[in-house]
Amino acid sequence: MAYDNTCKYLAETYPTEFAKWLLSTDTSDMQVLKTELNLEPIRADSVTFLKNANQILHIEFQTQPKSTPPLDFRMLNYYIRLKQIYWCDIEQVIIFLQPSNSEMVFKTEYVDRNTRHKYRVIRLWEEDSAPLLNNPALLPLAALAKSNSPESLLQQVANAVDMIEESEEQKNISACTQILAGLRFDRNLINQLFREEIMQESVIYQDIIQRGEQIGKKQEALQYTMRLLNRRISNLNSETQQKIQALSTTQLEDLGEALLDFSNQNDLTIWLDNNS
């Protein structure tokens, strides 16, 4: 989750910088698109939508290519639903953070019997580090870029982070860099090049801690509620289980109280339809 939150923070804090990098055009009016897509597919990593007057940039960061449903189908799924809502040009980019020999990291389209949908793929370990090093917003990604001497590259990134003048931005970029660098480098090396106290003072670090606490609370509530349901109602179907897993912590707590009045799965279905 730390990698997911970090990538999402970077893309949504610096939408213009990411759009210029990925679109190579003047995108000064690029804004974060806060959209709710019904039936959002299950995903492991971070998804961000950026929009200007006539285009949407869909960025998906992945640490691993394995996904359910598969990544290529997910890109088609997102494209169709975004097109239905906004009816504008849509550019889709998957950014793979870690080296992999999986077939999926080399796929750039979804192909079915009557359908062919194309999207872009960036394998970060093959990317030139220079454009990333020249933009503070992209420094955390630079640590994962192509290099004949990865440790020297990380030193360059650390030096560039030290040159960021604005204190709060330096803290946050440093924290993001340290987190993503953990995908490639030993923690001892990272600690030698970056000051840990700066990371702990950053917004992104505090956000990750807070999100982790929230996730922990939800997992506890979900496990407790499922134990109660399994005692009260046996053989829950997969659709019902998915609806329960999508509930918030507060909703799970409410369900835990309400299920005392349930006599069968139909009662549970009615409650979920009214509360989810």
Side-chain angles (χ1 to χ4, degrees), residues 163-222:
M163 293 177 65
I164 298 175
E165 295 182 358
E166 205 281 314
S167 175
E168 197 63 31
E169 181 181 30
Q170 184 190 61
K171 291 177 184 177
N172 293 329
I173 294 298
S174 177
C176 291
T177 303
Q178 292 180 63
I179 292 167
L180 294 185
L183 291 167
R184 186 178 197 177
F185 299 97
D186 180 76
R187 176 53 55 184
N188 290 330
L189 175 62
I190 297 171
N191 290 340
Q192 289 175 21
L193 300 178
F194 297 88
R195 288 181 291 165
E196 185 177 359
E197 64 271 16
I198 290 182
M199 176 175 176
Q200 293 177 348
E201 293 171 359
S202 69
V203 170
I204 182 64
Y205 180 83
Q206 297 300 326
D207 181 62
I208 289 171
I209 295 298
Q210 185 178 19
R211 285 174 184 257
E213 292 174 349
Q214 292 173 349
I215 291 170
K217 290 179 181 178
K218 178 174 178 177
Q219 288 299 322
E220 289 180 5
L222 177 61

Side-chain angles (χ1 to χ4, degrees), residues 17-219:
E17 286 81 355
F18 271 79
K20 285 182 178 179
W21 171 45
L22 296 173
L23 299 177
S24 300
T25 58
D26 182 9
T27 53
S28 58
D29 61 342
M30 190 66 71
Q31 302 292 326
V32 178
L33 176 62
K34 297 295 185 181
T35 183
E36 294 295 332
L37 297 177
N38 293 332
L39 302 177
E40 184 173 348
I42 298 172
R43 66 173 189 266
D45 291 356
S46 169
V47 174
T48 294
F49 304 105
L50 306 178
K51 186 178 187 304
N52 62 15
N54 55 14
Q55 185 178 36
I56 290 175
L57 172 59
H58 163 204
I59 310 172
E60 182 145 354
F61 295 92
Q62 288 290 140
T63 51
Q64 297 295 330
K66 186 177 181 179
S67 169
T68 305
L71 281 171
D72 54 349
F73 178 77
R74 277 167 44 186
M75 300 305 279
L76 170 64
N77 194 335
Y78 278 123
Y79 181 90
I80 291 173
R81 287 180 290 142
L82 286 167
K83 197 73 171 183
Q84 285 177 328
I85 298 171
Y86 299 100
W87 202 253
C88 65
D89 290 339
I90 301 168
E91 180 76 10
Q92 296 180 289
V93 184
I94 301 179
I95 301 175
F96 288 103
L97 304 176
Q98 281 187 302
S100 172
N101 292 321
S102 169
E103 177 186 355
M104 187 59 70
V105 305
F106 299 97
K107 291 189 69 173
T108 58
E109 60 182 6
Y110 171 80
V111 179
D112 210 333
R113 180 178 178 183
N114 297 310
T115 301
R116 182 182 296 271
H117 174 68
K118 295 181 179 294
Y119 53 88
R120 289 172 57 195
V121 166
I122 290 178
R123 294 177 289 275
L124 203 53
W125 58 95
E126 297 177 354
E127 288 294 298
D128 181 9
S129 62
L132 306 174
L133 285 167
N134 291 331
N135 190 324
L138 304 178
L139 284 173
L141 300 181
L144 304 178
K146 180 173 65 176
S147 175
N148 293 326
S149 177
E151 293 187 4
S152 297
L153 174 60
L154 187 60
Q155 179 68 70
Q156 284 182 272
V157 174
N159 293 341
V161 170
D162 286 340
M163 293 177 65
I164 298 175
E165 295 182 358
E166 205 281 314
S167 175
E168 197 63 31
E169 181 181 30
Q170 184 190 61
K171 291 177 184 177
N172 293 329
I173 294 298
S174 177
C176 291
T177 303
Q178 292 180 63
I179 292 167
L180 294 185
L183 291 167
R184 186 178 197 177
F185 299 97
D186 180 76
R187 176 53 55 184
N188 290 330
L189 175 62
I190 297 171
N191 290 340
Q192 289 175 21
L193 300 178
F194 297 88
R195 288 181 291 165
E196 185 177 359
E197 64 271 16
I198 290 182
M199 176 175 176
Q200 293 177 348
E201 293 171 359
S202 69
V203 170
I204 182 64
Y205 180 83
Q206 297 300 326
D207 181 62
I208 289 171
I209 295 298
Q210 185 178 19
R211 285 174 184 257
E213 292 174 349
Q214 292 173 349
I215 291 170
K217 290 179 181 178
K218 178 174 178 177
Q219 288 299 322

